Amino acid sequence: MAIYIGYLVWVIFLKQVLISQNLGAYKTYNIARLLSLFFFLILFLLQIDQIVHNEINFLVAGILAFGLPAISLVLIYNYFLIYSKRLSGKRKAANFYNALLVSVIMLIFLFIGIASNEGAIALVGIGVGLLIQLVIIPLSNFAFEKYFGLVGQIKTLSHKVEVGTANLSFLKSQINPHFLFNALNTLYGTALMENAEKTADGVQKLGDMMRFMIHENQQDKIPLKREIAYVKNYLDLQMLRFENEDNLSVDFKLPKDECEGQIAPMLLIPFVENAFKHGISTKNKSWIRINLRCLEGTVHLDLVNSIHPKKVTDDPKDESGIGLENVRKRLEHYYSGKFSLSTISNESEFFVHFSLQLD
């Protein structure tokens, strides 16, 4: 008990000296603590041997006092002069240092045996050399490989997390709606031709959407009802913009009751925005049908829009698949294994079915 209490007092002293003034000294503190544990353990075994007179305790103390430091030196020698050289491709140098280690140890035991006139000591030296060559070095090499393999995996995962975070921020910025300037121009034209009440309503909806993008869009999760309100504001503004288009038919069904649950922001609007962006033609008959519903912790969106031939002047980068691919990546990030997204297109229509299990 006195030895154990002395160990605890010594460790507290080490902690106060090494860490209190320098928070980065944990490595030095841990090494000093392990060495102290080693010393107090040997002291304990020697004390027990004096009390019970058991030769086994003395043998264990001897092994701890001399065997463990010798093995530690062999491990250090192996890492810096054998394993590292072999890892860097210097196999001849690694083999040389390997043979040198075994030879020196066996010669030391041989000289001790000759000096003490004990042939058995020379045989022990051969056994120790074989033990180092066949057991200690292979096991330490295996441990080194496992350790550095785990370190490499941790670095790789950390790098992927950093890249994923950066990509996620970039994807969020890509998915922001692009129709705001068109909506503002529409509201300006409406203000010239109609009463201010209708314009004020449009401005209010647009303001709500801009506040959504500034505040909610920066959060990881928001209430589902806020996402649906954003979709409704978007649809109302687009209907204000295209209400005089005779060739356009828009039919949308949104949940009347408030949907419960949390959802990552800007997951629903890209599908609706994509339909208006690529499904409307001022010359040809166009249609958009949207059905959004909530069912017991899930949200479902079915959308169909017309397809029209592309103009020669269209920017090839301005493809509908880019926004949907960004949404798919965000879904993989936030809801891996909890969503279903399928798209089908033919010569005249583009279909989207999206289902999501909410948290």
Side-chain angles (χ1 to χ4, degrees):
M1 290 297 296
I3 292 174
Y4 178 64
I5 293 173
Y7 166 73
L8 293 180
V9 172
W10 174 250
V11 167
I12 293 173
F13 172 76
L14 286 177
K15 188 173 183 180
Q16 293 296 324
V17 171
L18 297 177
I19 296 182
S20 60
Q21 301 298 328
N22 183 7
L23 296 178
Y26 279 100
K27 181 181 291 186
T28 304
Y29 164 71
N30 286 326
I31 293 174
R33 189 181 61 174
L34 289 174
L35 292 176
S36 301
L37 178 62
F38 176 72
F39 170 78
F40 278 94
L41 182 59
I42 293 175
L43 187 62
F44 170 78
L45 291 172
L46 292 175
Q47 184 65 28
I48 290 294
D49 181 69
Q50 293 180 7
I51 297 173
V52 300
H53 301 290
N54 190 339
E55 294 182 356
I56 295 178
N57 292 325
F58 184 78
L59 178 62
V60 172
I63 292 174
L64 289 173
F66 300 102
L68 288 181
I71 292 174
S72 299
L73 290 175
V74 171
L75 294 178
I76 295 172
Y77 182 94
N78 177 36
Y79 175 73
F80 287 102
L81 296 178
I82 301 177
Y83 178 79
S84 297
K85 300 231 179 253
R86 187 172 286 120
L87 195 65
S88 61
K90 301 177 181 179
R91 303 188 66 87
K92 290 184 178 180
N95 293 334
F96 169 76
Y97 285 112
N98 190 1
L100 179 64
L101 173 65
V102 176
S103 300
V104 168
I105 291 176
M106 294 176 66
L107 286 174
I108 290 174
F109 276 90
L110 178 62
F111 290 145
I112 294 175
I114 295 174
S116 61
N117 199 21
E118 291 288 343
I121 296 180
L123 294 177
V124 171
I126 296 174
V128 171
L130 292 175
L131 179 67
I132 292 173
Q133 184 64 38
L134 300 178
V135 178
I136 295 178
I137 290 180
L139 286 179
S140 61
N141 289 342
F142 178 77
F144 293 150
E145 291 174 1
K146 286 294 183 181
Y147 172 76
F148 289 110
L150 290 174
V151 171
Q153 290 180 9
I154 292 173
K155 290 182 178 179
T156 301
L157 291 175
S158 300
H159 176 70
K160 287 183 178 180
V161 169
E162 293 176 357
V163 173
T165 303
N167 288 340
L168 184 59
S169 300
F170 175 70
L171 292 177
K172 279 186 175 181
S173 65
Q174 280 188 308
I175 295 172
N176 287 336
H178 305 288
F179 81 101
L180 290 176
F181 288 107
N182 290 331
L184 287 172
N185 290 332
T186 301
L187 292 174
Y188 176 76
T190 304
L192 295 178
M193 295 182 296
E194 300 182 4
N195 295 328
E197 181 179 353
K198 192 172 185 180
T199 303
D201 182 61
V203 170
Q204 183 180 12
K205 293 181 183 298
L206 184 59
D208 290 340
M209 294 181 68
M210 295 182 71
R211 280 191 294 272
F212 178 92
M213 287 186 293
I214 293 173
H215 298 292
E216 276 90 339
N217 192 31
Q218 306 304 318
Q219 303 177 27
D220 290 336
K221 298 290 176 66
I222 62 171
L224 176 59
K225 59 184 179 182
R226 290 289 298 128
E227 179 81 1
I228 295 177
Y230 182 86
V231 173
K232 187 177 186 307
N233 285 336
Y234 178 91
L235 290 171
D236 290 342
L237 280 176
Q238 291 288 23
M239 295 307 299
L240 181 64
R241 180 184 175 191
F242 294 109
E243 63 179 351
N244 296 323
E245 292 290 337
D246 296 331
N247 290 330
L248 175 62
S249 172
V250 179
D251 178 26
F252 57 89
K253 297 178 181 179
L254 301 180
K256 295 181 180 180
D257 299 329
E258 289 189 354
C259 296
E260 300 297 330
Q262 300 282 319
I263 190 173
M266 304 296 287
L267 281 182
L268 299 178
I269 191 63
F271 302 106
V272 180
E273 181 189 19
N274 185 75
F276 278 91
K277 188 175 182 181
H278 301 280
I280 296 178
S281 172
T282 56
K283 297 181 179 180
N284 302 320
K285 185 174 180 60
S286 305
W287 60 91
I288 298 174
R289 294 189 291 274
I290 302 169
N291 185 10
L292 178 63
R293 58 198 186 279
C294 306
L295 300 172
E296 297 181 355
T298 60
V299 60
H300 305 268
L301 174 65
D302 292 293
L303 189 149
V304 182
N305 62 269
S306 55
I307 295 178
H308 305 282
K310 296 180 181 180
K311 300 178 182 179
V312 179
T313 57
D314 284 348
D315 188 348
K317 296 181 180 179
D318 191 22
E319 296 289 340
S320 62
I322 295 177
L324 298 186
E325 183 62 25
N326 288 346
V327 175
R328 189 183 296 275
K329 290 179 180 179
R330 294 187 67 213
L331 287 169
E332 288 289 352
H333 179 82
Y334 285 116
Y335 300 99
S336 180
K338 296 182 179 181
F339 74 94
S340 173
L341 175 59
S342 58
T343 59
I344 303 174
S345 62
N346 55 33
E347 294 181 355
S348 59
E349 289 183 318
F350 183 79
F351 302 84
V352 174
H353 172 72
F354 171 57
S355 297
L356 176 64
Q357 179 183 345
L358 300 174
D359 295 334

